[in-house]
Amino acid sequence: MKYLATLALALVPLTSMATDLTIPAGQAYLVGVDQQELILDNLRIGNDARISFAPGVNSWRVHARVASIGKNVVIDGRGAAGVNGAAGISAPSCDEFVDGQPGNIGQAGADGVEIRLQLALESLGSMRILSAGGDGGLGGAGGDGADLDSGCGADVAGEGGNGGDGGEGGRGGDVTFLYQSLAKTESGDAMVSRLNINTDGGAGGEGGDAGSGGAGGSGHYETRKSLTGSGRKWVAGASGGLAGSPGSTASAGQPGRILLDQLIMSTVKVAPTNVNPLSLKALQREIEQLRKRVEQLEAQ
């Protein structure tokens, strides 16, 4: 992991916006597009739980006043791998001047999900946060050129098709983990030492193989009739076709940034029944300003 500059963030939780989220041990939990930002009173994640993301979810931001996380928890926000390019069609044998078709380009890998967690930790067993970019798809192989045999009567066989270029690797998603320890027997640093974060960029897809040129025909005698009778004539063999060019390997995606640091949470509580609308708006503006400070630090 890489550690960025220390961040002191005072977050005033809004009780009127808070709720609870419990993911039982061993369960899979899918984050939907309507859950990309959660403000929670309590977050409970059991041992061996696994969190993944529905299509269309590009970021997940969770603010929890109290969080308890079990062992072997996985948050899997890795980008999907790009689809491999289809191979080019090979030319039918013994067709004159018919070349193999080029392979298709591999698709780019998807970017990893941006994950931002701001947690006051009661406990943390162990957790992996995976936000690597998806690998680029492989380029399709070029099709082979048409072969020419003694019955074709052509001068040159078909050329091989070019291989398709590989797809670009996806970018790793940024991961922000800001924490405060509520445990009496363990420090926050000790708990977050059991975090494993991967924001690697996806590998670039390899280019497709070049198509082979068609085989030339061998020389032969042909019997031909003329006004003066029949005779044999030597016919030179057809030249072999040129091979295509291999596709280019694409570049890997950029890794995502990691911000892992201490979170200082305010102890101020706002009772939902006594909230002044003007005070609530002021608190919301304060949170928005603090969020912008976090984003500025992440951008450095």
Side-chain angles (χ1 to χ4, degrees):
M1 299 180 185
K2 55 183 178 180
Y3 295 81
L4 302 185
T6 302
L7 173 68
L9 176 62
L11 176 63
V12 180
L14 299 181
T15 307
S16 60
M17 300 173 63
T19 184
D20 296 343
L21 174 62
T22 299
I23 303 174
Q27 295 296 305
Y29 184 82
L30 184 68
V31 177
V33 292
D34 59 342
Q35 297 172 302
Q36 295 188 80
E37 184 156 4
L38 300 175
I39 298 177
L40 306 172
D41 267 336
N42 294 284
L43 173 65
R44 308 288 179 185
I45 305 177
N47 295 339
D48 301 307
R50 190 177 189 93
I51 299 170
S52 57
F53 300 90
V57 176
N58 300 316
S59 65
W60 194 45
R61 300 182 179 189
V62 179
H63 308 248
R65 184 181 298 165
V66 179
S68 177
I69 300 172
K71 296 180 180 179
N72 302 319
V73 172
V74 176
I75 300 176
D76 191 350
R78 291 175 293 180
V83 177
N84 295 335
I89 299 173
S90 294
S93 178
C94 202
D95 279 0
E96 185 176 355
F97 304 118
V98 175
D99 300 330
Q101 299 301 301
N104 290 340
I105 297 173
Q107 293 185 5
D111 296 340
V113 175
E114 177 202 354
I115 298 171
R116 179 181 296 178
L117 306 178
Q118 298 183 8
L119 310 176
L121 293 168
E122 279 190 335
S123 62
L124 195 161
S126 60
M127 182 166 65
R128 288 192 299 154
I129 302 177
L130 309 176
S131 191
D135 293 340
L138 306 178
D144 295 334
D147 294 334
L148 298 178
D149 60 25
S150 58
C152 290
D155 295 327
V156 182
E159 295 184 357
N162 295 332
D165 294 337
E168 301 288 332
R171 185 187 184 280
D174 295 339
V175 172
T176 301
F177 192 98
L178 305 178
Y179 63 93
Q180 177 194 31
S181 174
L182 300 181
K184 297 180 180 180
T185 59
E186 191 172 27
S187 69
D189 289 345
M191 285 190 283
V192 298
S193 68
R194 297 189 289 273
L195 279 177
N196 187 320
I197 302 175
N198 185 341
T199 62
D200 292 345
E206 296 182 358
D209 293 334
S212 300
S218 58
H220 61 283
Y221 283 101
E222 285 186 354
T223 300
R224 296 183 179 181
K225 293 183 178 181
S226 65
L227 295 176
T228 59
S230 298
R232 299 182 69 198
K233 184 177 180 180
W234 175 256
V235 178
S239 300
L242 298 175
S245 300
S248 299
T249 297
S251 59
Q254 293 294 318
R257 295 166 296 186
I258 298 174
L259 173 60
L260 174 61
D261 223 320
Q262 185 175 10
L263 168 68
I264 300 175
M265 294 185 70
S266 171
T267 57
V268 176
K269 296 184 179 180
V270 181
T273 56
N274 300 318
V275 174
N276 183 315
L278 295 178
S279 299
L280 183 58
K281 290 182 178 179
L283 291 172
Q284 290 173 329
R285 285 197 299 269
E286 182 181 350
I287 289 177
E288 184 60 28
Q289 290 172 356
L290 293 170
R291 177 179 297 166
K292 290 180 179 179
R293 287 177 54 196
V294 174
E295 292 174 346
Q296 289 172 355
L297 284 170
E298 290 176 338
Q300 293 177 357

